[in-house]
Amino acid sequence: MNVQRYTPPAMLLHWVQAMVVLWLLWLGWHMVDLPKGAERSAAYSLHKSLGLLALMLVLVRLAWRRKHPAPRQMTRGWEARLATATHHALYTLLFLAPVAGYLASSFTPYAIKFFGVELPKAGWPDESLNGVFKLAHEAFVWGTGGLIALHIAGAAKHAFMRDGTLQRMLPAWLLRN
């Protein structure tokens, strides 16, 4: 079967983004239970840095996609429409979640640092605005998690069906033998 594959840069960006987002989800889930102190502060700082990295990655991915269209879909009908809608929603939430996180952090008295480099804030200490953006961030993250689960379920279905869809996004060295 001749499968149209994604470009190596698109694959790399996809898998790096996947690792960063899964790390963010894990860290975000665990850091809230840490007692106040140095460990919790370090976890929040890392989470913010990874969130900004995830935002940069999704912007690079969107720019790449504009110049390098995705290969033709292999599915048809409702599956193709579901895949397209899921991908569009996932890109949207991968953009909105870190923006809302950045804005939530902008309305606290704490600095926003990207791997140690202090960044400008879009706001000032304001508990109400912090709460609004924190709530939005959490909603976007839960939505992202649900879409990731749907995306993984679709990939698993295609792997089970052995229809060639999954191999479009896997590096060639993984497909040998």
Side-chain angles (χ1 to χ4, degrees):
M1 173 185 323
N2 187 13
V3 175
Q4 290 183 318
R5 297 174 49 76
Y6 284 86
T7 62
M11 285 185 229
L12 178 65
L13 287 167
H14 172 271
W15 291 109
V16 169
Q17 177 106 53
M19 288 186 290
V20 169
V21 168
L22 290 175
W23 190 3
L24 273 165
L25 291 171
W26 177 87
L27 185 59
W29 186 268
H30 288 89
M31 71 186 190
V32 295
D33 292 330
L34 293 172
K36 289 188 178 188
E39 186 180 2
R40 180 182 172 124
S41 294
Y44 270 82
S45 181
L46 178 60
H47 185 78
K48 290 174 186 182
S49 292
L50 291 172
L52 291 168
L53 178 61
L55 177 59
M56 287 185 254
L57 284 167
V58 78
L59 292 173
V60 170
R61 289 181 72 192
L62 289 168
W64 180 263
R65 180 62 54 233
R66 283 190 77 170
K67 297 285 185 182
H68 304 87
R72 184 182 55 80
Q73 282 195 12
M74 296 178 67
T75 56
R76 297 281 178 253
W78 71 269
E79 284 182 322
R81 289 189 300 277
L82 179 60
T84 298
T86 300
H87 284 108
H88 288 165
L90 198 48
Y91 272 106
T92 300
L93 292 179
L94 286 171
F95 174 78
L96 290 176
V99 168
Y102 168 78
L103 290 171
S105 293
S106 288
F107 291 100
T108 70
Y110 308 108
I112 300 173
K113 294 182 180 179
F114 181 67
F115 296 107
V117 177
E118 190 165 339
L119 301 177
K121 294 167 73 169
W124 53 92
D126 185 312
E127 286 184 32
S128 296
L129 288 172
N130 169 264
V132 166
F133 288 114
K134 189 184 291 186
L135 189 61
H137 176 68
E138 289 174 7
F140 296 147
V141 167
W142 279 104
T144 301
L147 290 171
I148 289 170
L150 186 59
H151 185 65
I152 291 170
K157 180 241 182 210
H158 288 293
F160 179 75
M161 299 297 292
R162 297 181 184 206
D163 62 7
T165 300
L166 183 61
Q167 72 189 87
R168 294 164 14 122
M169 187 52 80
L170 294 175
W173 60 269
L174 275 177
L175 300 173
R176 292 190 185 116
N177 289 334

